[in-house]
Amino acid sequence: MQCKGAFMKTNVAPRCCPGRQRLAPAAIGHRGRDRLVVCASKVPVDQLLGVAKHAAQLGAEVVMAALDKPRTITRKEGTDIVTETDKASEAAVVGAIRAAFPDHAVLGEEGGVQGDVGSDYLWCVDPLDGTVNFAHGYSSFCVSVGVVRHATPVAGCVIEFLPAPGGPSAWSTRTFTGARNTGAFLDGKQIFVSRVKELRDAVVATELVYYPDMWPQLSALHRSFTGQCRGVRMSGAAAANLCHLAMGCIDSYWQYNLKPWDVAAGLIILEEAGGRATTGDGLAYSVFDRSLIATNDALYDKVLALTEPQTSAMLSEGVSLSPWCVPRGYRVRSGAQLD
């Protein structure tokens, strides 16, 4: 789904604003296993997380039921596709959220904006992240349900589908959860990012998507990471990449043109696992930003050293990296998550 129509330009501080400067390492998210204690939500985060888990489970049940059935695939824009399962999963997820929080706003990849955009809370729903993988029976794909207060994720759940023993039609799931100041968990067991310190020892993830105006920089970045890291992996699902980073099986992730429903749930899981996220040129990240680097602490400066020059080159050539996909009327206030 493209960001137009029901979306507006945000009042998040622009990239040139002094109030949105590059952050020193100690100022961004968590450091290792330490906790950054903030009051992130007026609704208790355990209540938000409970609804996120319930909604994601309902969506996952829809996906699981469809795995052994023929797919009905419809083209969206370009090479993007949607299936009837995306839509049915989103309906189940959104129904659960609206029943629990009728006064909150919901942003779904397929259905757009629903609910009260005057709310402090925006639920970001990707009912089937990795639709191409799902359509071809290729792992991994997932259901992602996250909630942000203004622009900051406060709770999220990602249910990932993986092949299971028993043949090509057998699938299992694993559930990632996180809520502000409570930790990140995989099937109930706490998880943390890796402690890899050098790029030569790192496995990194991205999705090599062709954007004509960004292609020179994206291909240069892919070349740099491939040449300097142990390996570059592409899962086909942004939420899965963030969760894989949170559990320590990859060490960094970089991507451009992600949307709020791609990152809201995975980002809070990553942060609670001790990870860090900024824009590609080192500015404080919000779910409405178009560039993302996510790493453990030890690799952050090394990754930024590769992404910052290419991100700056995009900006100097007029590529738009301003915030996008903000629902019209939704209040995005810098620092509001801290009150």
Side-chain angles (χ1 to χ4, degrees), residues 223-336:
R223 182 169 58 248
S224 295
F225 278 107
T226 302
Q228 297 188 44
C229 296
R230 180 167 290 173
V232 177
R233 299 291 180 262
M234 290 178 277
S235 76
N241 286 331
L242 288 166
C243 290
H244 297 167
L245 178 56
M247 69 184 292
C249 65
I250 63 172
D251 308 296
S252 184
Y253 172 48
W254 60 273
Q255 196 66 51
Y256 292 78
N257 281 348
L258 293 173
K259 301 179 178 71
W261 50 83
D262 294 319
V263 297
L267 188 61
I268 183 62
I269 294 166
L270 170 65
E271 290 175 343
E272 288 298 310
R276 297 170 58 182
T278 68
T279 64
D281 52 349
L283 302 180
Y285 181 79
S286 92
V287 299
F288 304 109
D289 278 310
R290 299 200 206 190
S291 67
L292 169 70
I293 57 173
T295 74
N296 64 19
D297 274 347
L299 286 172
Y300 175 75
D301 289 336
K302 299 176 179 70
V303 171
L304 181 64
L306 297 181
T307 62
E308 192 280 332
Q310 300 298 341
T311 305
S312 296
M314 292 181 197
L315 293 168
S316 69
E317 293 177 10
V319 175
S320 177
L321 293 177
S322 59
W324 68 347
C325 295
V326 184
R328 190 177 303 278
Y330 181 66
R331 296 174 297 171
V332 180
R333 294 186 288 119
S334 239

Side-chain angles (χ1 to χ4, degrees), residues 122-199:
L122 177 67
W123 291 79
C124 301
V125 175
D126 196 333
L128 185 43
D129 188 22
T131 298
V132 172
N133 289 348
F134 165 79
H136 290 266
Y138 182 91
S139 64
S140 64
F141 46 89
C142 49
V143 176
S144 177
V145 180
V147 57
V148 302
R149 184 162 185 253
H150 301 287
T152 301
V154 290
C157 178
V158 174
I159 300 180
E160 183 182 16
F161 288 76
L162 299 171
S169 62
W171 294 86
S172 63
T173 63
R174 58 184 180 183
T175 300
F176 296 87
T177 57
R180 187 66 62 188
N181 300 321
T182 67
F185 298 86
L186 168 55
D187 291 334
K189 182 179 179 180
Q190 192 164 13
I191 55 175
F192 300 97
V193 294
S194 76
R195 296 186 178 184
V196 171
K197 297 179 179 180
E198 302 296 335
L199 283 175

